[in-house]
């Protein structure tokens, strides 16, 4: 008899620039300058568990969509952003977080492996996870297995188009954002974080994305994303 219920142990959490679900890239690698790191819980932070990982450039991260509530009833179809947010597709033909077991999978590049007193912190680039997302496993990315040249991507065969980001340097006065942070913010906003059904329409609404511990406010006009203000998070408390 097959058991229909299993217990999964989180091995750590990931710390990312994304303070909320809004503005998280819809796929990994779309904002390659975004720096994150995985904090492993004991005993999973043991340096011995990472012997050999230095030879790899990328890893698979398995995680839990913990911000998504457990479903009382299975929903066979969802509305993926790639189809405009209005058209339905089968849940197993999407990467929607609204899944039976809420398990997610991302491929990220390894920035560095930090070892302190026999413990490990793993720094990565290009993650698409909300800050403090529980990590349930990591595995090395193996090119000859995981990169399939003849693979087809269905309705997601091409990368999404990017918009030009207009960010006036005067908005950065008195802020502690580093050059890498600013580059990451521009990469994130270029994906147009608004709900997918907005499409390419002009929008008078001002949106607020919590990125790199700053509230980044912006509007969208035609093919541009215009940053209107940036405020340190603590200043809003």
């Amino acid at each position: 008899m097959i058991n229909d219920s299993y217990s999964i142990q989180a091995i750590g959490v990931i710390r990312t620039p994304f303070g909320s679900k809004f503005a998280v890239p819809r796929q990994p690698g779309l904002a390659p300058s975004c720096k994150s790191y995985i904090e492993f819980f004991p005993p999973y932070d043991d340096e011995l568990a990472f012997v050999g990982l230095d030879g790899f450039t990328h890893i698979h991260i398995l995680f839990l969509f913990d911000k998504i509530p457990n479903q009382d009833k299975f929903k066979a179809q969802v509305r993926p952003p790639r189809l405009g947010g209005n058209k339905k597709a089968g849940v197993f033909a999407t990467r929607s977080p609204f899944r039976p077991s809420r398990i997610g999978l991302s491929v990220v590049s390894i920035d560095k492996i930090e070892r302190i007193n026999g413990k490990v912190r793993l720094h990565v680039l290009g993650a698409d996870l909300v800050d403090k997302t529980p990590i349930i496993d990591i595995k090395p990315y193996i090119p000859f297995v995981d990169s399939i040249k003849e693979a087809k991507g269905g309705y997601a065969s091409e990368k999404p188009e990017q918009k030009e980001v207009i960010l006036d340097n005067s908005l950065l006065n008195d802020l502690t954002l580093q050059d890498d942070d600013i580059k990451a913010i521009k990469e994130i906003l270029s994906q147009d974080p608004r709900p997918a059904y907005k499409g390419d329409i002009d929008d008078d609404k001002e949106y607020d994305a919590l990125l790199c511990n700053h509230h980044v406010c912006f509007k969208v006009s035609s093919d541009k994303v215009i940053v209107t203000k940036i405020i340190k998070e603590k200043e809003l408390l």
Side-chain angles (χ1 to χ4, degrees):
M1 181 176 178
I2 298 176
N3 186 359
D4 62 357
S5 179
Y6 297 88
S7 175
I8 295 178
Q9 177 70 44
I11 64 171
V13 295
I14 189 168
R15 303 307 307 264
T16 77
F18 308 106
S20 65
K21 290 186 294 181
F22 181 62
V24 173
R26 295 186 176 111
Q27 297 295 340
L30 293 180
S33 297
C34 286
K35 294 184 177 182
S36 306
Y37 61 88
I38 302 174
E39 291 181 337
F40 294 93
F41 302 144
Y44 311 111
D45 58 351
D46 189 332
E47 185 176 356
L48 293 176
F50 300 85
V51 172
L53 190 60
D54 302 77
F56 296 88
T57 60
H58 293 72
I59 58 170
H60 296 277
I61 299 178
L62 287 89
F63 60 92
L64 286 177
F65 289 106
D66 63 318
K67 302 295 187 293
I68 304 299
N70 281 311
Q71 299 180 12
D72 295 329
K73 185 179 179 181
F74 172 62
K75 294 182 179 179
Q77 291 193 313
V78 295
R79 293 181 171 86
R82 196 57 186 269
L83 294 178
N86 291 316
K87 235 174 138 181
K88 288 185 177 181
V91 65
F92 297 130
T94 77
R95 296 191 177 189
S96 168
F98 297 93
R99 320 189 65 77
S101 297
R102 300 187 299 164
I103 294 176
L105 172 68
S106 289
V107 174
V108 298
S109 63
I110 299 174
D111 186 17
K112 63 179 179 179
I113 304 174
E114 184 180 15
R115 296 174 171 87
I116 303 175
N117 297 325
K119 308 301 181 183
V120 168
R121 174 180 287 183
L122 186 58
H123 296 256
V124 299
L125 299 171
D128 59 337
L129 287 74
V130 180
D131 189 38
K132 300 180 183 178
T133 292
I135 305 303
I136 57 177
D137 204 355
I138 65 168
K139 296 183 179 183
Y141 177 94
I142 302 176
F144 82 87
V145 173
D146 296 323
S147 180
I148 303 172
K149 292 182 179 180
E150 64 271 23
K152 295 182 179 180
Y155 57 81
S157 295
E158 302 293 334
K159 290 179 63 174
E161 293 185 4
Q162 295 182 338
K163 297 182 184 293
E164 180 184 0
V165 178
I166 308 298
L167 197 168
D168 194 291
N169 287 333
S170 64
L171 299 177
L172 302 174
N173 293 339
D174 302 321
L175 296 179
T176 57
L177 289 168
Q178 303 298 311
D179 289 343
D180 286 344
D181 296 329
I182 297 167
K183 185 177 180 180
I185 287 171
K186 287 182 176 180
E187 290 175 351
I188 295 162
L189 295 184
S190 71
Q191 311 296 324
D192 190 354
R194 298 176 304 161
Y197 66 83
K198 293 284 187 178
D200 291 327
I201 62 173
D202 290 353
D203 198 342
D204 289 332
K205 180 177 178 180
E206 184 177 61
Y207 294 87
D208 179 352
L210 183 53
L211 304 170
C212 303
N213 294 316
H214 287 71
H215 288 267
V216 181
C217 302
F218 65 93
K219 292 184 177 181
V220 178
S221 175
S222 184
D223 58 348
K224 295 180 175 59
V225 175
I226 303 166
V227 179
T228 55
K229 57 179 175 281
I230 304 178
I231 306 170
K232 294 180 181 178
E233 183 184 11
K234 64 181 180 180
E235 293 180 359
L236 297 182
L237 298 179

